[in-house]
Amino acid sequence: LERDRFGTPKRTLWVDRKGKVFAEAIDEDDEEDGKSSNSIRLGLGDFIFYSVLVAKAAQYSFATFAACMLVILAGLGGTLILLAVFHHALPALPISIFLGVLFYVL
């Protein structure tokens, strides 16, 4: 039985004789709080890299700013599509930053 910091039961883990977890029972009350285990989360570091690239592009020209902004959003959309296909966590930076830097240099 796993408890949160307030002592309320969070989830129950079923363990075999060797100590390996083979089943997990999640409390249904978590979904009522708005916390879903299959939600999409983007880290603060991702936003920092995106904003630095877009800010640098904005110093150069408006066209470069607009192009970098659009390809970053397109790369993020591509990452979300890949996330829907593969059903496991993926890094959000590589596609967007690669496309953003490519369009910044061009």
Side-chain angles (χ1 to χ4, degrees):
L1 182 64
E2 183 182 19
R3 298 180 182 270
D4 63 2
R5 63 181 175 170
F6 302 111
T8 57
K10 185 175 177 182
R11 63 183 179 171
T12 304
L13 301 175
W14 299 95
V15 182
D16 64 2
R17 293 178 193 244
K18 295 179 182 177
K20 291 189 176 185
V21 175
F22 65 90
E24 176 181 5
I26 299 174
D27 190 15
E28 290 83 20
D29 294 338
D30 290 342
E31 294 176 5
E32 294 175 2
D33 297 338
K35 299 176 187 174
S36 178
S37 62
N38 60 356
S39 63
I40 298 172
R41 297 179 184 166
L42 195 61
L44 182 61
D46 300 331
F47 286 114
I48 291 172
F49 280 106
Y50 295 152
S51 63
V52 167
L53 179 61
V54 170
K56 195 68 176 165
Q59 290 177 346
Y60 187 69
S61 73
F62 180 75
T64 308
F65 161 75
C68 285
M69 185 67 145
L70 289 175
V71 297
I72 284 175
L73 290 175
L76 189 58
T79 303
L80 292 176
I81 290 171
L82 290 174
L83 180 66
V85 170
F86 291 117
H87 299 291
H88 64 81
L90 295 171
L93 282 174
I95 297 172
S96 297
I97 293 296
F98 174 73
L99 290 174
V101 169
L102 182 71
F103 275 73
Y104 178 75
V105 171
L106 295 178

